[in-house]
Amino acid sequence: MSTVERVPPPRSYLEEGYGLRSWLTTHDHKRIAILYALGITFFFFLGGLAAALVRLELVTPAGDLMSAETYNKAFTFHGVVMVWFFLIPSIPATLGNFLLPLMIGARDVAFPRLNLFSWYLYVGGGVFTLLCLLLGGVDTGWTFYTPFSTLFSTSHVLLAVVGVFIVGFSSIFTGLNFIVTIHTLRAPGMTWFRLPLFVWSMYAVALVMVLATPVLAMTLSLIALERLFGVGIFDPALGGDPVLFQHFFWFYSHPAVYIMILPAMGVVSELITAGARRRIFGYRFMVYAIIGIAVVGFLVWGHHMFVAGQSMYASIVFSILSFIIAVPSAIKVFNWTATLYRGDIGFDAPMLYALGFVGLFMLGGLTGLFLAATALDVNLTDTYFVVAHFHYIMVGGAVMAYLGGIHFWWPKITGRMYSEAWARFAAILMFFGFNLTFFPQYILGYEGMPRRYHEYLPQFQVWNVLSSAGATILGAAYLLPLFYLAWSLRHGARAGPNPWDARGLEWQTASPPPPHNFEQTPTVTEGPYAYR
Amino acid sequence: MNARPARPQRTHRSGPRPPSLAGNLWTLAALLLLLVLSAGSALLRLGPFNEVANLGIAAVKALLVLTVFMRLKTDNALLRIVASTGFAWLAVLIALSLADVLTRQPLLAPW
Amino acid sequence: MSARTHPVPEQFDDPVQQREAATLGMWAFLATEVLFFGVLFAGYTLCRVMFPEAFAEGSRHTDMLLGTIETAVLLTSSCAVALSVREVQLGGRRAATAMLALTAALGIAFLVMHGFEYYAEYREGLIPAIRYTQQGVYARGMEIFYCLYYFITLFHSLHVTVGVLLLGVMAWRTWHRAFDQDYHTPLELTALYWHLVDIVWIFVYPLIYLVGRSG
Ligand SMILES: [Cu+2]
């Protein structure tokens, strides 16, 4: 790693102001990214705490630690917080906000004030969710299925719904900002097919945010109205249809999976090319795959409803479409592998995270095909197989990539290098902890253990104990970066503008970048990943 | 403040040219005529074609507003794509959920 | 405050780029609005497929004449706001302000007429959860129709209210020379928003007022 001392750079964005006020009123996309990072980290560990409670309860078959109601609230809180307050904003709002303008050679996003407003919405939504927790929580599961959420649940459904509604607007505005920024603010010479794949993934994700989130917001409003006034279109006693709710909910929530995984794919494309010193294999295919996933992702939502009373014929259509979306995902895995082939692979921490991502994403994706098959899904619905599947995608995939990205761009964001040894150790520990936590859950699900119960049959105990032990390791691995990254802020070696010798406009400016990103608006003359 | 690129400064007058007054007024006249047509056809006994007429006329009216009043006809093509995307996605939502409801085994109403 | 000295924010190169960004942003926002309302329309479609007769019966209880007048009012207001943008582009400040005021007034007229409709429905006992007194074989299905009717029209009226406020601000700013031939993006965006409110209503009209009229 080159840690060459450089002449003191011009005033960086970190030196724009030091007071709290200078941060809370900033319009600089880089500072807003950091504000998001703080919020997201807070919610990540809060949601993690809820997961810890769940895993602790499941060490023994008997429901001895907490009541069924408390358990329901624990996993609901875990789901709500992790989905809307961590995973959805994680990469787009932090790395995306920070890097998007840098990568396309812009001075800021198109609407800086709207960007700051999005963050306040995020915080506002968070406040409602915390309020909901403090007043006793909500027990519907993160999916808010009717009629339970509208008629029977006695917990604070309304507060939770309001929290998610508000944070939804935060993601709509972020998406809108990204779309306009990419369309209008590219530097001279930065044509569409010279954009780094990370930017493409941000574009796709912004598309999904803008087109899917309003559907969620309106559906949640309908829940709130139905709960408040006792009338609506979801209540079967009034002639309504709860399956309609599931249609609307999954119209958002399946694409939401791609809000989580597309940015991860973008990050990994950057990490792998830089780590292997190779041009990305099949750049155009990667772009088409990203857009393909974003669009086809809107056509598959019914695979969540195979046993919900959806018509058999619709299920068949949704099943086939779900198989189709595996194709672009597979193209991406194939191209990453081909990029690594004959690469000059260095095993720095970001690369370890990226490789971890590829493996875990593949396992998660392949088990997704099991669930897309209607016949098999009937057996596996609502078992731990599903839980393991989506945790492989979201935790094994999205969180690994997020942390990989944080490590890769850490020197750019802070101007400091972290401890490489600790970072590698954390990455490896995380990989093992993750597999130990979630692989047993595949087996449990296959054997028929249902999800969302606080007690289970004694024959499942061995795998559950293994899973909880893995969760302990995973938790420790997640805490590690908190310490060594914080340590690096003061004691880390100073990073030059381009410590990884990577391509991409963000590496051509100082670390940390000056307030308006570039001394001179760059002119782009070649495609991305000009390695070899 | 960093240097702006050497691109020549363009002025504000880049949007669509102002449309003609007559064009706008004729469009309003057409819209009101379609409204009358729509109300009238709804009173005739056309069977399923009542619905076709209702929605067809509404679609034409919406297109008129989009192309003339909102100037999609003259403004840049990207905006036309963005506008159609919203409606296309709505069509997906309705079409695929209808695919379920229309092919379901009929459930008896609870009353 | 003069339009000629309107500064270009530093993330943009020039005013053209700024306008492109602003209109693209507005259209993207309108696409989300389409999907916001879209959920309600999708709910309407699916429920209507389940209870076609009840929906026709419910629609016959609405006030078709008032609905038609409201539609005409909104269509006219849409034309008026389009003309105000045109006037600003041609430099006509007075006419533009007048057009904006007319648009806002038509919007308010729409809201008032709709208020009368709501009141009539209250007296007839057609408001689910508040005063619903319908009996008979279609009563339950009609309740769903009226639920959707209220969700859609209230959400739409909310948009009209926001639109009227925006139009008021724009009229005030136009009068005070905030806009001219060179710079009038906020006015343009407000007009786009108002047109969308109109488009939503164009679809509300046949789906709420015209079902089963010939039966
Ligand atoms: Cu899914």
Side-chain angles (χ1 to χ4, degrees), chain A residues 254 257 303-304:
Chain A
H254 184 79
V257 174
H303 62 217
H304 296 268

Side-chain angles (χ1 to χ4, degrees), chain A residues 250 253-255 257-258 300-301 303-304 322 389:
Chain A
W250 289 111
S253 290
H254 184 79
V257 174
Y258 297 109
V300 302
W301 79 79
H303 62 217
H304 296 268
S322 303
H389 156 67

Side-chain angles (χ1 to χ4, degrees), chain A residues 59 136 370 426 436 483 515:
Chain A
V59 171
F370 291 32
L436 189 56
F483 293 107

Side-chain angles (χ1 to χ4, degrees), chain C residues 149-211:
Chain C
Y149 165 84
Y150 277 100
F151 292 159
I152 293 175
T153 55
L154 283 173
F155 192 49
H156 180 263
S157 295
L158 182 72
H159 277 74
V160 174
T161 313
V162 172
V164 166
L165 294 176
L166 284 175
L167 287 165
V169 173
M170 288 303 136
W172 192 81
R173 290 184 65 183
T174 309
W175 182 249
H176 290 275
R177 301 173 200 277
F179 308 123
D180 60 16
Q181 290 101 312
D182 285 337
Y183 176 76
H184 49 263
T185 308
L187 178 60
E188 230 182 321
L189 302 188
T190 307
L192 285 177
Y193 175 83
W194 188 256
H195 292 309
L196 185 91
V197 172
D198 186 29
I199 288 178
V200 171
W201 187 262
I202 285 177
F203 286 99
V204 170
Y205 174 66
L207 293 176
I208 296 294
Y209 295 91
L210 298 186
V211 187

